[in-house]
Every structure is written in C-alpha cells, then in structure tokens.
Amino acid sequence: MTTKAHWENVYQTRAVDEVSWYRPHLDVSLRLIEHAALDRGSAVIDVGGGEATLVDDLVGRGYSDVTVLDISPAAIEVAKDRLGSSAASVHWITGDITAVELEAARYDVWHDRAVFHFLTSADDRAAYVRQVARAVKLGGHVIVATFGLDGPEKCSGLDVVRYDAEHLHDEFGTKFRLLDSVTELHETPWGTPQQFIYCFCRVE
C-alpha cells in the first residue's frame, strides 16, 4: 500500500476524533504561531493539516493567508466541509510533502504537528528539510512537532522516529536557529498519554 493509500484508508474509515493525534484545539501550536506571526496577514502553512482544527482556529483568529497541505484528499474534504463558506479563504494543497512543488519564499510560518516523525528514511527527511528551506522566507519561523523519546514507536500502523529537541533540530541544521522547544503530554481520545516535542526555529 502506498503512503497516500494508507492515509486515505485512515481518514475514510475513522472519525475525526478516533485518531490518536486528535485534539479539539492545538493549543501549543496556536501559541507558537501567534508568537511567530503577530501580523494576521502572515502566510502560514499547516503541513499534514488533514482534518485538524488548526485551520479553523487560525481563520477564526483573523489569519487571512492560511494554507493546508495533506497527502489525503479525503482529509482535506473533511476540513473543507467543516469550515463551510470559510473554506474558500484557505489555500488547499494535496500532495506528498517530500515531493510536492511549493512556491519559493512563500511562507512566514511553517507548522507541522506529527508528519516529520513518519519520515523514517534519511532521504525523505532531507527532502522535507529542503522543502522548508526553499518555501519559508528568510526570517520566517518553523514549528515542527514529533513524538518525543518517551512517545510511541508506531502510529496508525506505521513506524516513527522519536526525537528529543536537540536531535530534532539537528535534522534541520544551522540554517534554522532554535528559539525554543516545548514538551507536551498529549492525551489520545481514549486516554493514553503520548509525549510530543516541539521545536520552534527561525530561518537565518
């Protein structure tokens, strides 16, 4: 099964609140994005946004240039339906983040909660970092969250790579200045704790 087919199956067979990473609101992400982008006209991309409610909260807080990218068309349709008429104000991209073509220096803020840790191949991780370096403006900010060292070894039947803040930042390199890191103990919809690590960087 291809990666796209795997995620299509996940989103077509599970309700929004039946996936382990679901939260009604991504509070840590919202706090970091608002710190990075005081200007509500800042261009924000949510990589792997899928069915997540981050886009709803960003639009609701007045962000006018929001992009959601996901490999699953089914996930994007769920988010569009939920947003209703507000979906027209969002840029939607369906594609694999390691291969899709993104506009150079397009974004002020890059956000990813729980995509990067699925990249178990060094080549895929390098391709992802090249995408970030190309698509984020100089001086822009990058927020990437993965499972921490105490997090699960698998998610949705797939292997993941777990990180601490130092090793997650090392994947990106010196072009990305680490400003802060956050540890979050996320609780799944069925009550299981999962450790997430957020790295908050600036492109220099």
Side-chain angles (χ1 to χ4, degrees), residues 127-162:
Y128 180 108
V129 172
R130 286 194 297 271
Q131 291 275 38
V132 183
R134 181 175 184 274
V136 179
K137 299 173 185 176
L138 188 65
H141 292 82
V142 178
I143 301 159
V144 175
T146 70
F147 285 139
L149 296 180
D150 292 330
E153 297 178 355
K154 285 181 174 288
C155 181
S156 293
L158 299 178
D159 291 332
V160 299
V161 182
R162 299 177 297 175

Side-chain angles (χ1 to χ4, degrees), residues 15-199:
V16 172
D17 60 355
E18 290 179 346
V19 292
S20 64
W21 55 90
Y22 171 76
R23 292 180 69 88
H25 303 281
L26 302 186
D27 301 310
V28 175
S29 297
L30 286 165
R31 176 167 58 81
L32 293 173
I33 291 170
E34 290 199 308
H35 182 70
L38 296 176
D39 180 357
R40 293 306 199 252
S42 297
V44 181
I45 183 170
D46 184 19
V47 175
E51 298 176 341
T53 61
L54 182 65
V55 62
D56 307 57
D57 287 330
L58 291 175
V59 171
R61 295 181 187 204
Y63 285 94
S64 59
D65 190 354
V66 178
T67 299
V68 175
L69 182 149
D70 202 277
I71 198 169
S72 167
I76 285 182
E77 286 306 312
V78 168
K80 284 182 175 180
D81 289 345
R82 188 180 63 237
L83 280 168
S85 61
S86 295
S89 68
V90 177
H91 308 285
W92 304 93
I93 301 174
T94 303
D96 182 335
I97 190 53
T98 64
V100 69
E101 289 192 22
L102 298 176
E103 184 180 344
R106 168 72 174 86
Y107 302 104
D108 298 291
V109 180
W110 177 290
H111 173 267
D112 163 11
R113 179 180 180 269
V115 171
F116 191 76
H117 61 207
F118 284 111
L119 304 181
T120 57
S121 156
D123 287 344
D124 283 345
R125 293 194 296 273
Y128 180 108
V129 172
R130 286 194 297 271
Q131 291 275 38
V132 183
R134 181 175 184 274
V136 179
K137 299 173 185 176
L138 188 65
H141 292 82
V142 178
I143 301 159
V144 175
T146 70
F147 285 139
L149 296 180
D150 292 330
E153 297 178 355
K154 285 181 174 288
C155 181
S156 293
L158 299 178
D159 291 332
V160 299
V161 182
R162 299 177 297 175
Y163 296 91
D164 59 20
E166 179 183 0
H167 289 97
L168 179 54
H169 178 248
D170 285 347
E171 292 283 347
F172 287 79
T174 57
K175 179 180 174 67
F176 300 87
R177 180 182 175 190
L178 183 63
L179 301 178
D180 196 8
S181 62
V182 179
T183 301
E184 176 191 44
L185 195 61
H186 164 69
E187 187 174 292
T188 69
W190 44 91
T192 303
Q194 293 182 336
Q195 185 191 60
F196 277 81
I197 299 294
Y198 292 72
C199 277

